[in-house]
Amino acid sequence: MKNTTLKQNRNSALLTSILSILLGIIVGAILMLLAGYNPLVAYQALLGSAILQPFDLGETIRTTSPLIFIGLAVALAFRTGLFNIGVEGQYIVGSLTAYLVAAKVSLPTGIHALVAVVAGGLAGAAWAALPGLLKAFRGVHEVIISIMMNFIALYFSNVLVRTWLAVGKDSTDKIPPTASLRIGSLSQLFAGARIHMGIILALLAVFVFYYLLWKTKLGYQLRAVGYNRHAAEYAGISVRRNIVLSFLLSGFLAGLAGATELLGTSEYIAIQDAFIGIGFDGIAVALLGANAPVGVVLSALLFGVLTYGGGNMQFVAGVPFEIIRVVFAAIIFFVAAKISFRWGNRKKGKAYA
Amino acid sequence: MRRVLSVFLFLCLVVGTTGCGGGGQTTTGKFTIGMVTDVGGLNDQSFNQSAWAGITKVKNEQKADIKALESKRDEDYIPNLTRFAREGRSITWAIGFKLDKALTDVSNSFANQKFGIVDSNLGGKIPKNVVAVTFKEHEGSFIMGALAGLKTKTNKVGFLGGVTSPLIQKFEAGYKAGVKAANPNAEVITAYAESFGDATKGRSLSKNMFNSGADIIFQASGGTGKGLFDEVKTREAGKYWAIGVDMDQSFLAPKHTLSSMIKRVDKAVYDISKQTKENKAPMGKQVEFGLKENGVGYPESTKNFVDENVIKQLEDYKQQIISGKIKVPSSL
């Protein structure tokens, strides 16, 4: 009896995801038809280009790796019953700090990159600490605080670039090669694409995420707080401590996303007029992946293919990139439409586990 | 585990059913142009739009095959440029200084392809297969300064800048020199919004400048400048004026726009693309478009509110700049 419920829940989570993806793609197709484009040609261009050529495959993987980090960050907070909408800010702070370490400190090749990555992660964690502490000790809603922290991060980064890192210019110089996450032979393998060590680190993070949440005491506590705060408290688990820890870990992952993107992909910081929206992509990835490690990897891959392939869809079929954003939104809409139902069942089902 | 497997299978199914076509078509023998916008997009009412107009003109006159790719994030610049380069476009345009690093990378990986960039000289290190187009904004701004100096009744005019940077200070320097040349008694007040997209801030800064006695404001601030037009529209026509930038902006406030400092990105892109077709493009060089090349100037609509003898004086200044009699400073 118990087992069947569990299985049903799992299946329904999977079903929700697959149905949502399908429906999202159909919504996109309908929009394309309405706008006078051929959806088959468009989707063909999208998928074909995202994986078939080495350069494109490399760029798709490059697009996917920060999504994995960000997806994990959001998923980890979700697991503790928290909504870390501040990943975007933690991402920005992570890349800013990684840039500072890369450009202002000189270290030997490899170690330099590693130190910069870790510094970026720690900065992300520090940025997430404030909403975590306020949530744990003052009961302030984490969503509001972290959205504000996003704005502070964005403009703080812009001010630093404008007044210190690149006076009178729009963007900084590139980081020295000692701190780069790119590896010559790997890039060559992918015809010069900007694929970098970030994907290895991201997959490593997936494993750590799984191990931490399901194989350690800390992970059990984090999830327990997520299932039922009061029951966890009653069982002697410190809810406050776990809320802060969850935010720190989530921020660390988001910071890693920013650091690896900077050290591997862009290699410089530019003044940004607005958010790049990777935080929202991360929420989408976590939702679609049902906050599970493998789910996050797969949905990050899907969004990576859609994002990178979407550019090619515009190139080959002339379909505007916005359609792909609509597909994104539609997928999330359909996932979210079912989420309350699943959530309710899950609590019951998983409580035995 | 079953879940993993089924999602994977599903993905395979999607890939399988939709097939795997969509490779780049070959474009040998035909003159082809690619254009990559910065994050502003094609309809930015500024240089991207203007560049596309120039490329469209090449298409109409030279039967060229043209295509544009809009970048959504800074990360898109390299893949977008690469898509065109891989396809073997006759020339690929990178529009805007934001693409400078990406273009340097891509032009190095595709050494046999030709590229062009607008608004950047790539820090002086221009690869052999790239032509860098820049504008003498200070010359055009000088004319706007002279116009403001001649038309002001309060002897006080304003300058609204976007982000403090060498590019925008080029506008400011030229404008100030123009005001001083035409009206030594006039004072120039300046304000920077530190943003190219904040119309609200642009409006409040314009309001302050008008309130402190300025009657004409010249904006060089991208989307921020829309705030200037929003503000001037609420004031008495014929007394308060705005001067636009990049393109003829009189449509934003028809009764309040004195003139606009137009930057002919379209002409520059058109000229260089045509030269590329004739194999005469100055590859590896920086090409500057100033008053002499008709790369900067003012639109016909200036005559709506400016009488002939003032226009005559402006033309006189223009000739003096072209002949080198007046040297316009390009920095403060």
Side-chain angles (χ1 to χ4, degrees), chain B residues 16 66 154 292 310:
Chain B
I66 61 169
T154 58
K292 193 174 155 196
V310 176

Side-chain angles (χ1 to χ4, degrees), chain B residues 185-204:
Chain B
N185 298 323
E187 180 197 353
V188 181
I189 49 176
T190 60
Y192 277 82
E194 298 307 344
S195 163
F196 286 114
D198 193 344
T200 318
K201 184 122 185 242
R203 180 165 187 177
S204 75

Side-chain angles (χ1 to χ4, degrees), chain B residues 127-152:
Chain B
K128 284 207 159 34
N129 53 337
V130 174
V131 53
V133 172
T134 56
F135 293 85
K136 293 179 178 166
E137 289 92 353
H138 48 293
E139 292 187 353
S141 303
F142 183 96
I143 304 292
M144 293 300 110
L147 174 61
L150 293 170
K151 284 287 281 187
T152 180

Side-chain angles (χ1 to χ4, degrees), chain A residues 97 101 124 140 199 237 277 294-295 337:
Chain A
T97 309
V101 173
V140 182
I199 185 67
I237 296 171
V294 178

Side-chain angles (χ1 to χ4, degrees), chain A residues 29-161:
Chain A
I30 292 172
L31 264 177
M32 283 182 224
L33 280 176
L34 286 178
Y37 301 104
N38 183 345
L40 278 180
V41 175
Y43 282 129
Q44 234 176 52
L46 188 156
L47 285 162
S49 74
I51 34 195
L52 284 185
Q53 293 202 35
F55 177 85
D56 295 314
L57 184 61
E59 284 285 326
T60 301
I61 295 173
R62 189 268 302 163
T63 315
T64 305
S65 33
L67 289 175
I68 296 179
F69 275 123
I70 290 279
L72 289 178
V74 177
L76 194 133
F78 268 142
R79 286 276 175 194
T80 319
L82 298 166
F83 191 19
N84 183 6
I85 203 169
V87 281
E88 182 107 30
Q90 293 141 23
Y91 174 96
I92 294 172
V93 174
S95 63
L96 181 67
T97 309
Y99 177 80
L100 289 178
V101 173
K104 304 284 171 191
V105 183
S106 51
L107 286 167
T109 313
I111 298 174
H112 198 177
L114 193 69
V115 172
V117 167
V118 174
L122 290 176
W127 205 253
L130 192 63
L133 287 168
L134 283 170
K135 168 82 177 178
F137 292 97
R138 308 289 311 154
V140 182
H141 205 295
E142 75 271 18
V143 167
I144 293 157
I145 299 292
S146 28
I147 289 178
M148 293 305 131
M149 297 289 285
N150 285 351
F151 281 104
I152 297 173
L154 175 70
Y155 293 119
F156 179 63
S157 166
N158 283 352
V159 165
L160 280 194
V161 173

Side-chain angles (χ1 to χ4, degrees), chain B residues 151-172:
Chain B
K151 284 287 281 187
T152 180
K153 298 257 163 47
T154 58
N155 273 345
K156 207 172 190 183
V157 296
F159 175 80
L160 174 64
V163 173
T164 314
S165 57
L167 177 66
I168 300 303
Q169 281 167 340
K170 216 164 146 188
F171 286 89
E172 189 188 339

Side-chain angles (χ1 to χ4, degrees), chain B residues 174-220:
Chain B
Y175 180 67
K176 279 184 166 161
V179 174
K180 208 165 169 204
N183 184 350
N185 298 323
E187 180 197 353
V188 181
I189 49 176
T190 60
Y192 277 82
E194 298 307 344
S195 163
F196 286 114
D198 193 344
T200 318
K201 184 122 185 242
R203 180 165 187 177
S204 75
L205 290 173
S206 306
K207 194 176 197 163
N208 288 344
M209 286 196 276
F210 280 134
N211 286 346
S212 68
D215 58 350
I216 301 171
I217 297 177
F218 171 42
Q219 72 102 354

Side-chain angles (χ1 to χ4, degrees), chain A residues 44 168 171 174 194 315 322, chain B residues 18 67 75 101 105 166:
Chain A
Q44 234 176 52
S171 61
K174 285 198 170 185
R194 290 171 295 170
F315 185 60
E322 279 73 13
Chain B
T18 49
K67 198 177 252 183
E75 279 71 39
K101 291 190 184 70
D105 284 0

